[in-house]
Amino acid sequence: MQAFNLDLCDLPPGVDVLREEVRSFLFETLGSYSKPNRARSWSAFDADFSGRLGDRGWLGMTWPEPYGSSRSALERYIVIEELLAFGAPVAAHWIGERQSGPLLLRFGSDKQQEKLLPGIASGKSFFCIGMSEPNSGSDLASINTHAKRDNDGWVVNGQKIWTTYAQKCHYMIALVRTSGSVKDRHDGLSQLIINLRDPGITISPIRNMIGDKEFNEVKFDNVFVSDSMLVGEEGNGWQQVIAELAFERSGPDRFLSAYRLMVELIRMFHKTEDKHAEVAIGRLTAHLVTLRQMSLAVAAVLETGEQPTIEATVIKDLGVAFEQLIPEIAHDLINVAPNILHGSDYEKSLAYIQQACVSFSLRGGTTEILRSVIARGLGLR
Amino acid sequence: MTEISKTLAETCDRLFSNLINNDVLRETELAVWPDPIWQQIEENGLTFAMVNENHGGSGIKWIDCFQIIYWSGYYSVPVPLVETMVSSWFLSQHNQAPPKGVITFFCDGKPLDLIESNNSYKISGIIERIPWGASADYVLAEAYNSNKQVYVLLDAKKSKIVKDKNISGESRDSMTFDKASPLTVIDISDAFRSNSLLVYAALARSVQMSGGISAILDNCISYSREREQFGQPIAKFQAIQHQLAILAAEAAAAKIASQIACRAADLIDVSSGLEFEVATAKIRAGESAGLAASIGHQVHGAIGFTDEYSLHYITRRLWSWRSEYGSESYWARRIGKEVIAGGADNLWADITARL
């Protein structure tokens, strides 16, 4: 039996040109962006930078015209891996471009696409995901936020939590209960596009343990959402969410979040001969190269229209383990304390990644949930 | 997957599953040479799969022959198929028609001495841990001819053999040559840097390991569905499910890493830095092998620790293959040195330029 179906992917000819374009663009626009800032990877929010990417046509590039430029998934892959390897601040457009846009293209109405996709592709309209709730983390099907029918729309009440950059986003695509009760689990859930400027919405940033205000609590008090903002079919929300997660789990963001610390770690051994460092860095490099090829292989499958859900899940599980290994190796090799205020580039990068990395195995599905998904794929559940 | 890969995968899966069983594995561990199995494998053309067509082979690429080596690892094929494939290919690459028969190789120790006198060559020295040295017809070995590295093909029957084995009971013999006449002497061409055979030997072991890891995964899946405790199959327990999820991820990583190296072996040679991809494969497959063997035994419980049950045939091989032709630390150091010397800011460009 072959558990997984992953074939090596050969990059199409001509991508080197695109890669060089992205590198020159990054050098020009972010040449002086500091190394510790780069370590923040796709958590750093910069609306202006996202707008510039939109101007270059590098957001939504796989989408059909007129919204995108019908480029291949592998070309998009080249662009995003270059952004991440550089440590560019991509958080503003990240969710919208990675999953909200593709979700709307697949399930959204023509009107929704006309209204929303141009904003995402130009890097001006930002999206967040409304999934988790205070009492529904890994058990997503138990959500309580509900929408009641009201003339030509819905009235939403409830609360979302851990919503990344909700305070800076324009829209949320929220998973809400439109019929039945919590006992009905996956049935009766729907996805609604909610304009975060609408009345009845309170967004409160939650300070995380590093001191950053990235995630939020979002409360809905009789928020009216028109029928035209229902994504796909009423009651089909769970299936749509599952499809959406496949876009989320296999990209280069799943193994490059700590890459900038790896770079700074290697820099520390410049012109030295250290056997332990050579072994450890060689090992990390082998992991990096392997993960990238696995992730590319999934991108190639996605391109054919198939949904490699299990394979994507495997990459997130392995990718996160690799990201979390980097600060461990750093501690193994170098006798330096992390320091976020007055440290060297290395110390600051370590300080950020050391703390942030515990969230990598929580966001986008905890490792435990991922392993259960893989086990189901193996036929064990 | 190419058509030829699919065909090879189906052929090898069927052939090896018919040929190999616990009895065969047990007997070969007692140093019984399974000649009927070797004959069948040779008749199917597998040993000559990679040999150039002008030397009577099939000229199949590494990325396709991946399947032969992978499935030989999966089924713990207890004959030197892989060694013969690689040696024959290596000879063919150096414009030498490989002979029929069992060819083993030597590339990971003190090379033999090649002495030239009166226009003839003589080989002397001892080489150790040679796969199936006692059963081989030929051995392809690294040698030195006054500080110049060469490869020599020797008649294995002209050596004095001391039998030994690795921890999986695979034959690993020492061979002593005393003024033996080499059948062939190969000067290293520009395309093959020194210790190039080691790179290909490591590649082959990586692919074998990826097959073995998949075999453990499949064993564990079927065993955990059959074995009942607390009134249900142990596969229903989350603790087991998560162990197998980790194992499945490792199996996928080892397989891709080995394929990366096979693809690279078709595109570049050792002088162009093939060792980078091979090191990646050997490191990644080696790490996965360790984890897979541990998880495999943990899931199987006491039965997996018995001689009677088949799991150990593959786990003991994985532990052996992991350290043969360079351990993870050996290869990690080789590429780690390069990465550090290349400079932190160039790593990404280097990786993306290669693959």
Side-chain angles (χ1 to χ4, degrees), chain B residues 38-354:
Chain B
W38 178 260
Q39 294 305 331
Q40 289 247 13
I41 286 173
E42 210 173 36
E43 277 164 27
N44 274 274
L46 299 182
T47 55
F48 262 48
M50 289 201 286
V51 169
N52 293 341
E53 285 170 13
N54 63 337
H55 292 138
S58 311
I60 303 173
K61 296 199 283 186
W62 272 95
I63 192 65
D64 295 316
C65 285
F66 169 89
Q67 298 295 339
I68 303 176
I69 305 173
Y70 172 89
W71 287 105
S72 81
Y74 186 98
Y75 286 106
S76 301
V77 169
V79 288
L81 164 61
V82 168
E83 287 79 358
T84 302
M85 276 175 76
V86 172
S87 303
S88 305
W89 170 80
F90 194 88
L91 286 164
S92 184
Q93 288 291 304
H94 287 90
N95 302 317
Q96 303 291 327
K100 289 271 176 196
V102 178
I103 315 179
T104 185
F105 55 52
F106 164 75
C107 54
D108 63 338
K110 186 178 173 291
L112 291 165
D113 289 319
L114 180 72
I115 293 152
E116 195 174 352
S117 66
N118 305 328
N119 289 332
S120 74
Y121 290 112
K122 295 287 178 202
I123 279 284
S124 295
I126 180 166
I127 52 177
E128 290 174 317
R129 298 184 310 280
I130 309 305
W132 286 274
S135 314
D137 299 307
Y138 307 97
V139 55
L140 175 66
E142 264 181 22
Y144 265 88
N145 176 17
S146 55
N147 288 331
K148 186 165 163 269
Q149 194 181 28
V150 295
Y151 284 90
V152 291
L153 185 68
L154 299 163
D155 182 344
K157 307 296 180 204
K158 298 274 165 65
S159 68
K160 205 176 106 221
I161 301 278
V162 177
K163 286 194 171 193
D164 199 354
K165 48 190 176 182
N166 65 16
I167 62 163
S168 52
E170 289 181 311
S171 161
R172 294 291 184 266
D173 308 320
S174 81
M175 307 172 84
T176 306
F177 291 91
D178 184 16
K179 299 196 187 87
S181 302
L183 304 168
T184 306
V185 177
I186 301 171
D187 277 327
I188 304 297
S189 65
D190 290 340
F192 286 84
R193 212 165 70 184
S194 64
N195 67 34
S196 55
L197 187 56
L198 177 73
V199 174
Y200 294 105
L203 169 56
R205 285 288 183 269
S206 309
V207 179
Q208 285 173 287
M209 282 195 277
S210 74
I213 295 161
S214 294
I216 294 183
L217 174 63
D218 288 353
N219 264 324
C220 284
I221 290 172
S222 52
Y223 178 78
S224 66
R225 280 178 179 151
E226 285 158 18
R227 170 72 174 168
E228 293 197 0
Q229 285 291 275
F230 305 102
Q232 57 178 338
I234 61 170
K236 294 291 161 199
F237 293 101
Q238 204 170 48
I240 300 290
Q241 291 174 357
H242 285 198
Q243 287 300 302
L244 295 187
I246 294 168
L247 173 51
E250 291 295 323
K255 196 171 172 186
I256 285 277
S258 310
Q259 286 177 330
I260 294 168
C262 285
R263 177 175 66 181
D266 289 324
L267 298 173
I268 57 175
D269 54 39
V270 175
S271 67
S272 334
L274 175 63
E275 72 170 43
F276 183 85
E277 280 79 13
V278 170
T280 293
K282 193 70 168 52
I283 294 164
R284 200 61 192 84
E287 278 188 30
S288 297
L291 252 163
S294 301
I295 292 174
H297 280 290
Q298 192 65 25
V299 167
H300 276 80
I303 192 76
F305 196 59
T306 62
D307 177 57
E308 186 190 346
Y309 195 82
S310 61
L311 182 66
H312 66 86
Y313 289 113
I314 191 58
T315 55
R316 288 186 297 133
R317 275 176 172 75
L318 288 179
W319 290 316
S320 299
W321 295 342
R322 184 180 184 179
S323 54
E324 289 178 353
Y325 308 114
S327 64
E328 287 118 77
S329 64
Y330 170 82
W331 287 107
R333 192 169 181 203
R334 273 179 75 159
I335 60 168
K337 247 182 191 321
E338 277 181 50
V339 167
I340 293 168
D345 293 320
N346 296 322
L347 174 59
W348 184 254
D350 288 347
I351 288 176
T352 52
R354 297 189 73 85

Side-chain angles (χ1 to χ4, degrees), chain A residues 215-258:
Chain A
F215 50 35
N216 294 266
E217 178 185 75
V218 183
K219 286 184 176 164
F220 303 98
D221 181 15
N222 287 319
V223 175
F224 179 78
V225 178
S226 92
D227 250 346
S228 64
M229 298 293 253
L230 173 78
V231 182
E233 277 174 55
E234 184 192 331
N236 195 39
W238 185 261
Q239 283 68 34
Q240 294 172 197
V241 161
I242 296 299
E244 185 182 337
L245 288 173
F247 302 124
E248 182 186 323
R249 285 183 174 156
S250 65
D253 40 338
R254 292 310 179 188
F255 59 90
L256 289 176
S257 311

Side-chain angles (χ1 to χ4, degrees), chain A residues 2 7 10 278 283 287, chain B residues 1 255 263 287 333 345:
Chain A
Q2 295 296 291
D7 255 341
D10 291 315
E278 287 161 5
R283 192 179 283 260
H287 277 260
Chain B
M1 210 196 273
K255 196 171 172 186
R263 177 175 66 181
E287 278 188 30
R333 192 169 181 203
D345 293 320

